[in-house]
Amino acid sequence: MPSTKYIFVTGGVTSSLGKGIISASLATLLQSRGYSVTIQKLDPYINIDPGTLNPYEHGECYVTNDGAETDLDLGHYERFLNRPTSQANNVTTGRVYQSVIEKERRGDFLGKTVQVIPHITDEIKNRIKKLGNTGEFEIVITEIGGTVGDIEALPYVETVRQLKWELGEDCLVIHLTLVPMLAATGELKTKPTQHSVKSLQESGVQPDILVCRSEHALGEDIKRKLALFCNVKKDSVIESLDAETIYAVPILMRNQKLDEVVLKKLDLPIEDNLDLVNWKDFLYKLRYPKHEVTIGLVGKYVELHDSYKSIVESFIHAGAANECKVNIRWIHSESLNIETTEKHFDGLDGLLVAPGFGERGFEGKLETIRYARENDIPFFGICLGMQAAVIEFARNVLGWENANSTEMDKECAHPVISLMEEQKKVEDMGGTMRLGACDCELKEDTLAFGAYKRKTISERHRHRYEFNSEYLKDFEDNGMIATGKNPDLGLVEIVEIPTHPWFVGVQFHPEYKSTVANPHPLFVKFVEATITASKAK
């Protein structure tokens, strides 16, 4: 069996240049040529995972099928490649050090002094090779978080140096950098890239390919200059201009022949079998929509749009599937009350109440749901959004003024949302929620069944609190029905109001499973409902 090839993607000059998108775009091109590819992220922070991080700190926490709480870049990997990732696809410094320290406590190192080299770098190396050793992938792309020169990233860069030496032609390094234009002179400046590459070289790593982010075309002279000063071939200087959508980046990278340069350097066949027909069809529908709707996204972290990254991307996928441009109106739930809803919701075709934790802004979410329910506006509630829908219904339809979740009020008279039994003894916050993929059985002749078109589905979870089934009969007798349940535990997963045009709340996170190739069916149907609502105005 041929050896697995490893590609490392590093970044320089500044953060947020798009290492994740470049990694996902390259993987898409290689996959479209028939290669089996996966991507992993090495994160320099010392948290074990982003599960306990506030979304303002690090954006969305993405959850995999196997229950790993991971970096949001893994969402990009799945959305582009249409294949699930796992715990092995996200490595943090915290997890690396935790593993090494546990080995030291067990005596695995036989009394040796435990050091960054070789013990930490060996641990990183093992985690990089773990995916390659499965035999499932021909190419493993590893994105290194942060920026070259950061003290936190040094062990990862050192590991790349060692692997480059060990793997030889089975390994290459792509360095993503910035070529800015100075407004005063109107010139593109290569010096930041030169310094970034020099910093990488000082750590013993010579990049094989430069991907240069710029707002302006580089031109042959700039490419020649960068090749000369950075010790790379001119055809390995890849221009990466700003794109109108991240989903255009694979096409831009194809035009720059990034995939061909990579395959040539890895000594892999370049066959004329690149298949991007479906990808181009998706882009066409995205660029030339026949409809346009505006959906209100109500949440408590709306200042940082990355907090809801997967939801935003799911709307893009579902919009393209419906040949519809979906505009999002970001609405902070703390700004909502009975007096302000008319102003905030004017002109909206649908409302989505986003996931979250804690009581800040919760009353605003309840007011959103009341407005959507009473005014027949298509509504979609996710996780806490579904729980809020249950509480709003209990208060305003069943007449239980003190109905609540025990997350918000432990002593409430009607705990229609309550802590799961196995969660009551949990003390540690990290990695202890209901996490990962669980089955759900759907009732026929419901909105959920109409979307999925099958009886059994599997969706990803990230929560502690559940619908309190003791109250289910009261809800169903008054018009809110449970249309999806976990077959093993009997837990309510989906609620609907059949008399409403489109009112669905789900306990799981459907946004985690939406991809370019397979837009999530609930988002597709929700957008379809908003188009119908828009036409009815």
Side-chain angles (χ1 to χ4, degrees):
M1 179 181 167
S3 56
T4 302
K5 307 289 186 177
Y6 293 89
I7 300 170
F8 296 97
V9 180
T10 60
V13 184
T14 179
S15 59
S16 302
L17 285 181
K19 293 189 299 294
I21 300 302
I22 290 296
S23 300
S25 297
L26 173 59
T28 299
L29 293 174
L30 296 174
Q31 187 185 67
S32 298
R33 287 184 176 277
Y35 289 99
S36 55
V37 189
T38 190
I39 320 174
Q40 68 178 175
K41 175 78 179 284
L42 306 184
D43 259 317
Y45 54 73
I46 300 175
N47 302 68
I48 299 297
D49 58 44
T52 57
L53 286 172
N54 187 304
Y56 289 134
E57 288 283 320
H58 204 67
E60 170 189 78
C61 175
Y62 188 80
V63 178
T64 58
N65 276 337
D66 62 353
E69 294 176 288
T70 70
D71 184 80
L72 60 80
D73 273 321
L74 268 71
H76 289 314
Y77 306 161
E78 291 198 9
R79 286 188 282 272
F80 276 63
L81 295 181
N82 194 40
R83 65 182 302 161
T85 54
S86 69
Q87 179 70 70
N89 292 80
N90 195 201
V91 178
T92 67
T93 295
R95 199 173 289 282
V96 168
Y97 272 81
Q98 182 187 50
S99 177
V100 170
I101 290 168
E102 285 174 352
K103 289 177 183 177
E104 185 272 335
R105 292 289 84 187
R106 288 197 304 265
D108 291 7
F109 298 120
L110 303 175
K112 295 265 186 192
T113 302
V114 179
Q115 297 175 288
V116 173
I117 304 171
H119 302 102
I120 297 298
T121 52
D122 280 353
E123 181 71 22
I124 296 170
K125 213 179 292 184
N126 291 338
R127 288 170 183 262
I128 290 170
K129 289 182 173 180
K130 186 176 181 180
L131 289 165
N133 291 339
T134 62
E136 189 180 348
F137 305 106
E138 296 166 280
I139 301 170
V140 175
I141 300 175
T142 302
E143 175 196 347
I144 298 177
T147 308
V148 167
D150 294 347
I151 192 168
E152 295 95 339
L154 288 175
Y156 295 110
V157 176
E158 166 59 21
T159 304
V160 172
R161 182 195 68 79
Q162 294 178 24
L163 283 172
K164 223 181 169 207
W165 177 255
E166 292 171 19
L167 297 171
E169 292 183 355
D170 289 338
C171 168
L172 67 79
V173 175
I174 297 173
H175 190 54
L176 178 63
T177 183
L178 178 68
V179 180
M181 174 172 278
L182 292 187
T185 62
E187 290 179 297
L188 287 170
K189 307 305 286 186
T190 65
K191 197 61 73 177
T193 295
Q194 291 179 47
H195 281 300
S196 180
V197 171
K198 184 179 179 182
S199 178
L200 196 57
Q201 290 170 334
E202 286 171 352
S203 297
V205 177
Q206 168 62 47
D208 301 283
I209 297 169
L210 291 182
V211 175
C212 303
R213 281 296 305 275
S214 181
E215 295 176 354
H216 305 274
L218 298 185
E220 294 304 305
D221 288 344
I222 294 288
K223 286 188 176 183
R224 197 174 294 110
K225 184 176 181 180
L226 285 169
L228 177 64
F229 280 93
C230 298
N231 287 355
V232 299
K233 291 185 177 179
K234 182 171 163 288
D235 66 0
S236 298
V237 178
I238 305 296
E239 174 185 281
S240 178
L241 298 178
D242 291 351
E244 79 275 18
T245 168
I246 59 172
Y247 299 108
V249 177
I251 306 300
L252 295 178
M253 291 301 97
R254 173 67 198 112
N255 294 341
Q256 287 285 307
K257 299 185 178 179
L258 174 61
D259 53 327
E260 291 185 28
V261 173
V262 165
L263 291 172
K264 195 181 300 180
K265 288 184 180 295
L266 291 174
D267 196 26
L268 290 171
I270 305 173
E271 297 177 12
D272 189 21
N273 62 345
L274 185 65
D275 182 7
L276 290 171
V277 173
N278 291 336
W279 197 274
K280 289 178 178 178
D281 181 57
F282 166 78
L283 275 177
Y284 182 85
K285 289 178 179 177
L286 201 59
R287 286 170 174 154
Y288 305 104
K290 295 177 181 176
H291 314 286
E292 185 169 352
V293 297
T294 301
I295 295 172
L297 192 158
V298 178
K300 61 192 283 189
Y301 308 112
V302 295
E303 300 95 330
L304 182 66
H305 293 182
D306 272 1
S307 301
Y308 306 107
K309 190 64 177 173
S310 291
I311 291 175
V312 173
E313 300 306 317
S314 297
F315 276 133
I316 292 173
H317 307 154
N322 282 288
E323 297 185 81
C324 175
K325 180 182 180 183
V326 177
N327 300 306
I328 294 176
R329 184 183 299 173
W330 298 87
I331 304 170
H332 203 298
S333 55
E334 282 190 290
S335 68
L336 295 170
N337 55 54
I338 197 164
E339 284 84 28
T340 62
T341 50
E342 288 284 352
K343 177 185 73 173
H344 284 292
F345 299 157
D346 182 50
L348 291 180
D349 303 302
L351 281 162
L352 181 144
V353 172
F357 295 93
E359 60 184 326
R360 182 172 68 86
F362 188 64
E363 292 298 322
K365 293 185 177 184
L366 295 177
E367 192 55 40
T368 299
I369 295 160
R370 181 197 63 78
Y371 188 91
R373 182 177 55 79
E374 292 180 352
N375 292 280
D376 286 343
I377 296 174
F379 166 78
F380 195 10
I382 297 176
C383 201
L384 186 63
M386 172 267 203
Q387 296 174 4
V390 169
I391 293 166
E392 189 280 329
F393 194 88
R395 290 184 185 181
N396 298 319
V397 177
L398 301 181
W400 300 340
E401 290 184 15
N402 295 320
N404 213 331
S405 165
T406 54
E407 179 183 8
M408 315 302 169
D409 180 2
K410 288 184 172 60
E411 307 301 327
C412 61
H414 293 93
V416 293
I417 302 294
S418 60
L419 198 61
M420 296 164 58
E421 204 55 44
E422 63 266 32
Q423 289 288 330
K424 290 181 179 178
K425 297 177 183 177
V426 168
E427 294 181 4
D428 290 344
M429 295 295 288
T432 55
M433 288 184 277
R434 184 180 175 199
L435 291 164
C438 297
D439 285 346
C440 177
E441 296 284 341
L442 304 181
K443 282 185 179 178
E444 295 186 29
D445 299 321
T446 61
L447 293 172
F449 188 85
Y452 288 98
K453 294 182 172 57
R454 61 180 187 273
K455 191 85 187 287
T456 303
I457 61 169
S458 175
E459 292 286 0
R460 301 179 195 178
H461 292 251
R462 185 177 184 253
H463 59 96
R464 298 182 194 280
Y465 295 82
E466 298 279 357
F467 184 103
N468 188 340
S469 294
E470 291 179 16
Y471 293 97
L472 182 56
K473 187 175 188 305
D474 295 293
F475 279 85
E476 296 205 320
D477 287 347
N478 287 277
M480 177 179 274
I481 61 172
T483 60
K485 287 186 181 180
N486 180 281
D488 301 316
L489 303 173
L491 297 170
V492 174
E493 303 278 17
I494 306 174
V495 295
E496 298 179 17
I497 299 178
T499 55
H500 190 279
W502 207 92
F503 190 106
V504 176
V506 296
Q507 182 61 81
F508 46 81
H509 287 260
E511 71 272 22
Y512 293 152
K513 293 191 71 172
S514 187
T515 70
V516 170
N518 286 299
H520 196 282
L522 286 177
F523 276 91
V524 171
K525 286 296 182 183
F526 178 48
V527 171
E528 185 182 301
T530 65
I531 295 171
T532 301
S534 175
K535 289 178 178 178
K537 287 180 181 177

